[in-house]
Amino acid sequence: MSDMLFAVRDDIAKIAANAIVRVSNSKQGDAILAAGGQKLRDAVAKYGTPDVGQVMMTEGFDLPCDYVIHTTWPVWRGGSHFESDLVGASYKNTLRLAASQGIKTLAFSAFRQMQFLHPYTRMIAMEEVTNYFNEPTGTLEQVIFCVDDDEEQRLYEEAFCRFHLRTVYISGEVDIRKGEMDDFVRLVQENWGASADELNQLLREKRDELG
């Protein structure tokens, strides 16, 4: 999975991905709209704003990306109004649309840029993206998160590793013997993205070292 998920320090409006994601009711959404030029603004005016959790796609026009996937998030109201479900639906629908439309690389804005809309963005993003890559359908090969600084990049990379660890462990495809859990966790952290077969080989090598 290490070749599928990336966190980069960059402005999403400057990313030359096949598609970027614009959240319409956010400052990020306004900035993308401004950078995309009049034709992008005209397209949004023509097709309207998606309902919360829903998506639509336009050309990128003056942006370096080929396409923009537009979505709308709920405004955070304490978590009791299905906000997490709706944000999850937005990620899920975005991934499905991208995969069905020939998109190979897709860029999202990261947590801090969206925190005012939902405080648990990173957790939901990781769950939906890793769920997609566990059972991929369509063309999507890489997801990029555009972060603001080194600290946020580190947090995303740690999140990538944790979700990969959980996915591999739950799959039952790695032969983890009694007393080997600490070694397994360390191997995943040091080789995050490694397949189950690769992790099994690393565990066998570790056993051989211990005799």
Side-chain angles (χ1 to χ4, degrees):
M1 195 172 287
S2 59
D3 59 344
M4 301 174 184
L5 297 173
F6 296 91
V8 298
R9 287 190 62 181
D10 209 341
D11 181 347
I12 192 170
K14 298 178 180 178
I15 291 285
N18 291 147
I20 65 172
V21 181
R22 171 182 173 263
V23 178
S24 63
N25 55 330
S26 69
K27 292 181 179 179
Q28 171 255 35
D30 294 340
I32 290 173
L33 206 59
Q38 188 61 48
K39 290 183 178 179
L40 179 59
R41 293 192 289 274
D42 289 345
V44 171
K46 177 180 179 180
Y47 295 112
T49 300
D51 292 336
V52 173
Q54 300 304 305
V55 296
M56 72 171 189
M57 189 163 74
T58 67
E59 292 183 41
F61 297 106
D62 292 348
L63 296 163
C65 61
D66 299 315
Y67 299 97
V68 179
I69 295 178
H70 307 261
T71 187
T72 304
W73 281 14
V75 175
W76 180 254
R77 293 190 289 168
S80 60
H81 294 80
F82 305 101
E83 295 97 325
S84 294
D85 292 338
L86 291 166
V87 171
S90 173
Y91 277 105
K92 189 176 297 181
N93 290 331
T94 297
L95 293 163
R96 287 175 176 171
L97 179 61
S100 69
Q101 295 298 314
I103 302 301
K104 292 186 176 181
T105 56
L106 177 67
F108 290 94
S109 292
F111 173 71
R112 288 182 185 167
Q113 298 174 33
M114 310 306 299
Q115 185 174 7
F116 79 99
L117 283 176
H118 197 292
Y120 304 114
T121 303
R122 189 185 304 118
M123 179 178 65
I124 297 171
M126 290 301 98
E127 183 167 3
E128 295 299 340
V129 171
T130 52
N131 283 345
Y132 170 80
F133 281 124
N134 285 336
E135 297 182 14
T137 57
T139 58
L140 188 59
E141 296 176 355
Q142 294 180 341
V143 168
I144 302 163
F145 289 93
C146 299
V147 302
D148 291 331
D149 53 40
D150 290 342
E151 173 65 12
E152 190 173 30
Q153 183 168 5
R154 181 187 65 79
L155 290 171
Y156 265 86
E157 289 173 349
E158 287 181 356
F160 297 159
C161 184
R162 284 196 302 273
F163 273 88
H164 180 57
L165 190 156
R166 186 185 71 173
T167 299
V168 171
Y169 180 73
I170 291 174
S171 74
E173 296 176 1
V174 179
D175 179 21
I176 307 170
R177 300 179 185 176
K178 185 177 180 180
E180 289 185 339
M181 182 56 71
D182 288 344
D183 288 334
F184 168 67
V185 172
R186 185 171 62 255
L187 287 171
V188 172
Q189 291 172 336
E190 293 173 353
N191 304 274
W192 93 266
S195 67
D197 288 342
E198 291 168 333
L199 289 169
N200 278 320
Q201 178 61 34
L202 290 168
L203 283 170
R204 286 192 292 269
E205 292 173 1
K206 186 68 177 179
R207 293 177 198 128
D208 291 341
E209 288 178 11
L210 296 174

